[in-house]
């Protein structure tokens, strides 16, 4: 994986958004067209292999990678958004954070029953967000056929919450 262009560009920002967190800043990857194209193509190849029929991106950096993947594959794109952002009828899932909870939502018509849905975010940390997305998709009668991430923080063991789902991460720390 060492040859991936994005790997050299991801920037470590210590103590953001709070003390003790090492933030993986992917902004420089977006500023480099070759690195972005490479990352999008690799995630798209995995989604194609998983026979995805729909791409779901998790707000907000999951949108940045999810939309070009959907376009590359000619697939529909749907959003999993933070609480209070979606205007139409929606399903809601809460998940635990280190302190407190977070909530994500999807429109009730974001995916079709029986559809194979591939979920994209920039980074897999504890897995809470990704697992909540799967619950939303499954409540709507669709299936998660795989997850695609640019980065996985393996020491946080997010995969534990995603047992049984194929996970493709381009870069692991
Ligand atoms: P989690 O639910 O813990 O897997 O968190 C995943 C979400 O939080 C993703 O949308 C990431 O963008 C963001 N995130 C969590 N930890 C980090 C980190 N160390 N650096 C950058 N983004 C992070």
């Amino acid at each position: 994986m060492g040859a991936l262009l994005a790997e050299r560009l991801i920037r470590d920002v210590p103590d953001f958004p709070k003390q003790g967190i090492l933030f993986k800043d992917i902004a420089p990857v977006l500023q480099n067209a070759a690195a972005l194209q490479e990352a999008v193509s690799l995630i798209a190849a995995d989604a194609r292999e998983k026979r995805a029929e729909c791409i779901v991106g998790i707000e907000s950096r999951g949108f940045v990678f999810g939309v070009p993947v959907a376009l590359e594959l000619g697939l529909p794109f749907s959003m999993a958004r933070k609480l209070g952002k979606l205007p139409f009828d929606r399903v809601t899932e809460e998940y635990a954070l280190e302190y407190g909870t977070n909530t994500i939502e999807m429109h009730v018509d974001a995916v079709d029953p029986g559809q194979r849905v591939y979920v994209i975010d920039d980074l897999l940390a504890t897995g809470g967000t990704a697992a909540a997305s799967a619950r939303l998709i499954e409540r709507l009668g669709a299936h998660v056929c795989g997850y695609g991430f640019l980065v996985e923080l393996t020491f946080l063991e997010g995969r534990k919450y995603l047992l049984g789902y194929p996970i493709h991460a381009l870069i692991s720390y």
Side-chain angles (χ1 to χ4, degrees), residues 20 45 50 62 80 97 104 160:
K50 300 295 175 344
L97 296 174
I104 56 165
K160 277 200 309 204

Side-chain angles (χ1 to χ4, degrees), residues 9-130:
L9 295 168
I10 291 169
R11 176 163 60 195
D12 285 350
V13 183
D15 301 320
F16 183 88
K18 54 185 176 186
Q19 196 74 23
I21 304 283
L22 182 64
F23 193 87
K24 295 287 180 186
D25 180 15
I26 55 103
V29 178
L30 307 182
Q31 291 171 268
N32 183 304
L36 180 59
Q37 179 65 67
E38 180 184 53
V40 166
S41 295
L42 288 169
I43 295 171
D46 184 62
R48 185 187 286 113
E49 190 192 303
K50 300 295 175 344
R51 293 181 291 118
E53 297 169 324
C54 176
I55 303 295
V56 163
I58 301 175
E59 184 172 2
S60 56
R61 279 162 282 155
F63 299 170
V64 171
F65 291 95
V67 167
V69 167
L71 287 172
E72 188 162 320
L73 299 177
L75 294 178
F77 175 83
S78 284
M79 300 180 281
R81 296 208 67 179
K82 288 165 187 155
L83 182 67
K85 301 284 189 183
L86 289 173
F88 186 59
D89 297 341
R90 55 208 170 263
V91 285
T92 298
E93 279 285 339
E94 206 174 71
Y95 58 97
L97 296 174
E98 195 180 353
Y99 299 102
T101 61
N102 244 353
T103 304
I104 56 165
E105 301 185 314
M106 285 173 65
H107 278 157
V108 293
D109 60 357
V111 296
D112 294 332
Q115 203 168 37
R116 297 175 62 83
V117 178
Y118 189 89
V119 180
I120 296 181
D121 202 354
D122 67 324
L123 183 141
L124 175 63
T126 66
T129 317

